[in-house]
Amino acid sequence: MKDRTSGDKKAGLVSIIVPVYNAGQFIAETIGYVQQQTYADWELLLVDDCSTDTSRELIGRKCEGDARIRLITQERNGGAARARNRGVREACGQYICFLDADDIWLPDKLRRELDYIRKVQQEENSDAGFVFMGYEFADASGAGLGKVVHVPERLTYRQALKNTTIFTSTVMIDRNKIADEDIYMPCVASEDTATWWHLLKKYGTAYGMDENLVRYRRSADTLSSNKLTAVRRIWNLYRRQERLTVIKSMYCMCFWAFRAVLRRV
């Protein structure tokens, strides 16, 4: 696949998109993790989805001290998918990264991942535009729990149906290889997983970097902590989004459930 025209996308610039909704407890800390990155050519797009807490005020203070930080406000609450899509539309960088408002990046995350995607493009697949990495579960305070999720070197669509190992805050996408319209997330539950499946179907392969530079903060009120809800979301993706048969859905679900348990025990 040939590179699409990059337009006014700045080469080497990483656009980091954070959907924000009542994230006042964590957002200043999360911004700090981005500012501590050893790779400094980034812009941080914080898309506020009509927060009712102090999120906007906290972000506003950070914007005053760092021109790379931008506050984008939604006119109405529309959920994480619409917030991320707004960020993609307003992004200026060649690369897109997503970061959830309560997750943690270690200082070398951007530099190491950017080196990795360039290495893959140079040595393995010049059309590669979608990479991800491993991560560690953390408690509500952000302390690592020692449970590291390792990722495969390559992941195809068929493999991903049985192994939802791609974690949103670990993804990097090269917009010179993948069109923006394919990055936009659908407004469905587990919109990120649906997006990764779409990209894999269209572009073939995602490349995994088995390094732990991201922490996934788990708290009692995190949506994905509700296991029954997670099962329903994935089942609906199989049946409604991917249009799999009941038998195929059950087959994939068995593998998905087994691997989901392994990631958390």
Side-chain angles (χ1 to χ4, degrees):
M1 179 180 178
K2 295 181 179 179
D3 291 3
R4 72 176 180 87
T5 301
S6 59
D8 59 355
K9 306 301 183 292
K10 180 182 174 184
L13 178 67
V14 180
S15 296
I16 305 159
I17 298 169
V18 181
V20 178
Y21 180 71
N22 291 347
Q25 181 181 358
F26 301 114
I27 197 61
E29 185 179 0
T30 301
I31 293 171
Y33 294 131
V34 175
Q35 291 176 310
Q36 292 168 12
Q37 291 297 302
T38 56
Y39 184 81
D41 192 10
W42 51 261
E43 63 171 355
L44 178 59
L45 310 179
L46 297 131
V47 186
D48 184 75
D49 198 27
C50 300
S51 294
T52 58
D53 67 352
T54 60
S55 294
R56 288 193 195 185
E57 290 78 7
L58 292 168
I59 294 170
R61 293 173 199 162
K62 291 289 186 178
C63 290
E64 293 174 0
D66 194 333
R68 297 172 297 177
I69 303 173
R70 294 165 55 193
L71 170 62
I72 300 168
T73 57
Q74 296 281 74
E75 292 183 0
R76 60 180 63 87
N77 178 270
R82 288 188 176 90
R84 292 190 184 111
N85 295 345
R86 174 77 181 277
V88 172
R89 287 195 298 272
E90 302 220 10
C92 297
Q94 175 184 350
Y95 301 96
I96 292 286
C97 284
F98 296 106
L99 174 61
D100 284 348
D102 58 349
D103 288 332
I104 297 165
W105 282 357
L106 300 187
D108 276 345
K109 191 268 185 189
L110 285 183
R111 181 181 62 81
R112 294 284 298 136
E113 193 163 35
L114 191 57
D115 287 346
Y116 179 71
I117 195 171
R118 288 169 172 169
K119 178 182 177 181
V120 169
Q121 290 170 348
Q122 181 177 3
E123 297 181 359
E124 299 189 43
N125 181 359
S126 61
D127 290 331
F130 178 18
V131 301
F132 60 103
M133 65 169 57
Y135 59 95
E136 180 181 7
F137 288 106
D139 63 19
S141 70
L145 296 172
K147 179 57 181 176
V148 176
V149 176
H150 296 279
V151 297
E153 185 176 351
R154 293 175 179 83
L155 193 68
T156 66
Y157 170 69
R158 290 184 179 276
Q159 292 168 334
L161 288 175
K162 299 183 290 184
N163 185 8
T164 55
T165 191
I166 300 175
F167 175 43
T168 304
S169 292
T170 74
V171 164
M172 177 177 282
I173 295 172
D174 185 345
R175 299 167 82 191
N176 284 349
K177 309 294 182 180
I178 293 179
D180 284 0
E181 55 263 31
D182 293 318
I183 306 173
Y184 295 143
M185 296 188 176
C187 294
V188 298
S190 291
E191 71 284 345
D192 45 359
T193 297
T195 302
W196 314 147
W197 290 352
H198 169 72
L199 292 177
L200 290 170
K201 276 194 292 186
K202 184 166 182 176
Y203 295 91
T205 305
Y207 292 82
M209 177 182 176
D210 195 20
E211 293 189 24
N212 170 29
L213 298 171
V214 177
R215 289 181 185 168
Y216 169 32
R217 198 191 306 253
R218 296 168 65 186
S219 56
D221 58 351
T222 299
L223 181 62
S224 58
S225 68
N226 186 321
K227 306 304 184 295
L228 182 58
T229 298
V231 168
R232 287 173 176 164
R233 293 204 315 267
I234 294 298
W235 180 260
N236 286 336
L237 286 184
Y238 288 146
R239 298 287 289 132
R240 299 175 185 174
Q241 200 75 15
E242 302 305 308
R243 308 263 182 206
L244 302 184
T245 65
V246 171
I247 297 300
K248 180 67 172 178
S249 297
M250 292 176 66
Y251 172 77
C252 292
M253 177 68 79
C254 289
F255 284 94
W256 171 84
F258 176 72
R259 291 189 170 106
V261 170
L262 284 183
R263 283 197 296 271
R264 287 164 170 79
V265 298

